[in-house]
Amino acid sequence: MSATELPASHAELMDGVYRWQRHIYDLTRKYYLLGRDRLIAGLDVPAGGTVLELGCGTGRNIILAARRYRDARFFGLDISAEMLDTATAAIAREGLSNRVMLARGDATDFDPKALFAVGSFDRIFVSYSLSMIPGWEKTVSAALAALSPDGSLHIVDFGQQEGLPRWFRALLRGWLRKFHVEPRETLRAVLESESARTGASLRFQTLYRGYAWLAIAERRR
């Protein structure tokens, strides 16, 4: 899907939300986007591997991953042109432009070959993006379809805060709605269904009393 074919309403919404927020995004989000660094540490990218981040935002995660896995190639996809501008500048400042390629696209329907000239990826990760994507279930399907044999999909996102006080859950949900974020109650069920359909194994963890969920779906030959 080309940039001109992106869903206009959602692309415009995200550009509007992050036109100014992108400048303080990393500073503010580090306090409540928990589990991102654990996801990166668990990628275990093979030597010379390829890694795709869906919803790469400001580039924070892809930069940390590229620093950690120095012989891998990285690719980032986001629907927001504003976020991609910030990510491109950050990647250039880190001297990683030769190893990280970004593209504007829809995470629910993307063509890796058209966007990146890559047929599949050894690792794909999605960090706190499914809770912002309309039709997010399609992102799970598209990501699994884009994995290489023996590849894995890594997801971290808001859980249902099942082990936390009800008042905290209400405050968090109210705050998240201001940024068009909705924790996905059926995330585990969708991952279980899609993993079974594609022959992948699934590991699912509850973090911080349900504040966040971390999942890894691994393709098997």
Side-chain angles (χ1 to χ4, degrees):
M1 179 174 288
S2 70
T4 57
E5 296 171 327
L6 292 174
S9 58
H10 189 58
E12 291 169 0
L13 174 63
M14 291 298 96
D15 278 342
V17 168
Y18 292 117
R19 182 161 290 116
W20 306 114
Q21 280 285 320
R22 63 194 172 105
H23 300 296
I24 60 170
Y25 185 92
D26 291 332
L27 179 64
T28 58
R29 267 56 174 186
K30 68 180 180 180
Y31 297 108
Y32 65 92
L33 298 188
L34 307 179
R36 295 181 297 173
D37 293 347
R38 184 181 297 200
L39 178 151
I40 292 168
L43 288 175
D44 192 23
V45 183
T50 52
V51 183
L52 170 66
E53 181 179 12
L54 296 174
C56 63
T58 63
R60 182 261 187 195
N61 297 325
I62 209 167
I63 287 170
L64 290 179
R67 288 177 185 164
R68 187 181 186 96
Y69 306 102
R70 295 184 178 276
D71 60 352
R73 291 184 297 145
F74 288 83
F75 304 86
L77 181 73
D78 205 283
I79 202 168
S80 169
E82 298 285 346
M83 282 296 216
L84 286 173
D85 284 347
T86 296
T88 299
I91 289 164
R93 283 195 302 271
E94 294 291 330
L96 294 169
S97 299
N98 61 326
R99 292 178 48 220
V100 181
M101 179 179 180
L102 304 179
R104 190 178 184 210
D106 180 2
T108 69
D109 180 18
F110 61 94
D111 182 344
K113 286 189 177 181
L115 292 169
F116 303 113
V118 173
S120 61
F121 304 91
D122 297 300
R123 302 288 184 268
I124 298 177
F125 69 98
V126 194
S127 172
Y128 285 95
S129 292
L130 293 182
S131 50
M132 299 191 70
I133 298 174
W136 60 273
E137 300 91 342
K138 295 179 181 178
T139 298
V140 173
S141 300
L144 287 170
L147 284 176
S148 304
D150 296 328
S152 56
L153 168 63
H154 302 245
I155 294 171
V156 66
D157 214 314
F158 291 106
Q160 293 297 296
Q161 301 85 47
E162 56 269 27
L164 294 167
R166 188 173 298 177
W167 64 263
F168 179 88
R169 189 185 318 165
L171 284 175
L172 178 64
R173 296 298 182 92
W175 171 255
L176 294 178
R177 280 194 292 271
K178 296 178 183 294
F179 301 99
H180 307 278
V181 175
E182 179 184 353
R184 303 307 188 186
E185 183 178 1
T186 60
L187 176 60
R188 183 169 191 163
V190 168
L191 286 171
E192 288 175 345
S193 174
E194 285 299 298
S195 294
R197 182 183 64 82
T198 58
S201 63
L202 177 66
R203 287 180 282 158
F204 196 94
Q205 291 180 267
T206 297
L207 306 179
Y208 316 114
R209 297 171 63 188
Y211 181 91
W213 287 342
L214 177 66
I216 303 173
E218 296 179 278
R219 288 281 299 273
R220 295 173 295 200
R221 289 181 185 272

